[in-house]
Amino acid sequence: QVRFVESGGGLVQPGGSLRLSCAASGSIRNIYAMAWYRQAPGRQHELVARISSGTRTYYADSVKGRFTISRDNAKNTVYLQMNSLKPEDTAAYYCNGDPSAGSWGQGTQVTVSS
């Protein structure tokens, strides 16, 4: 089963940017859609962004225009560029297929605070 390892999180001020990476232990070429999710304390697990193998993308309304998802099948890696970050973006971020295609990783924590 493919495993995913997320990285790139950290503490950033409102308005700042971060780039998250998700490295898969195996090929993602045959995973039709890859996605980033987030989980904040007291809130539901949320799909943030999704990208198909044909590079069609979907974004939650809360991040549309600020986040950009991309995938590099040759590197088995998915990225999430996050700009204009807001305190409400604070959460642990995870990647997986949509639907789930492998083991969930530990996630990477993003904290947006001044």
Side-chain angles (χ1 to χ4, degrees):
Q1 192 176 25
V2 178
R3 298 184 302 276
F4 301 102
V5 178
E6 302 89 354
S7 62
L11 173 63
V12 63
Q13 292 187 341
S17 299
L18 284 173
R19 188 192 194 205
L20 306 184
S21 297
C22 169
S25 63
S27 176
I28 64 170
R29 190 176 302 277
N30 294 325
I31 301 176
Y32 178 72
M34 289 295 302
W36 282 95
Y37 305 81
R38 67 185 179 188
Q39 177 89 59
R43 301 186 65 176
Q44 288 187 333
H45 191 74
E46 175 186 19
L47 189 152
V48 174
R50 178 182 186 271
I51 184 167
S52 72
S53 59
T55 69
R56 181 177 297 179
T57 56
Y58 161 84
Y59 298 95
D61 287 343
S62 58
V63 307
K64 199 172 295 183
R66 300 187 296 121
F67 290 11
T68 302
I69 188 171
S70 60
R71 63 189 290 171
D72 186 335
N73 289 341
K75 295 182 178 179
N76 297 318
T77 302
V78 183
Y79 304 97
L80 186 68
Q81 177 67 44
M82 305 188 298
N83 299 328
S84 302
L85 283 161
K86 304 176 180 180
E88 51 264 44
D89 295 318
T90 295
Y93 284 72
Y94 304 85
C95 74
N96 209 315
D98 180 30
S100 174
S103 301
W104 291 92
Q106 295 296 310
T108 186
Q109 178 67 36
V110 172
T111 302
V112 185
S113 175
S114 55

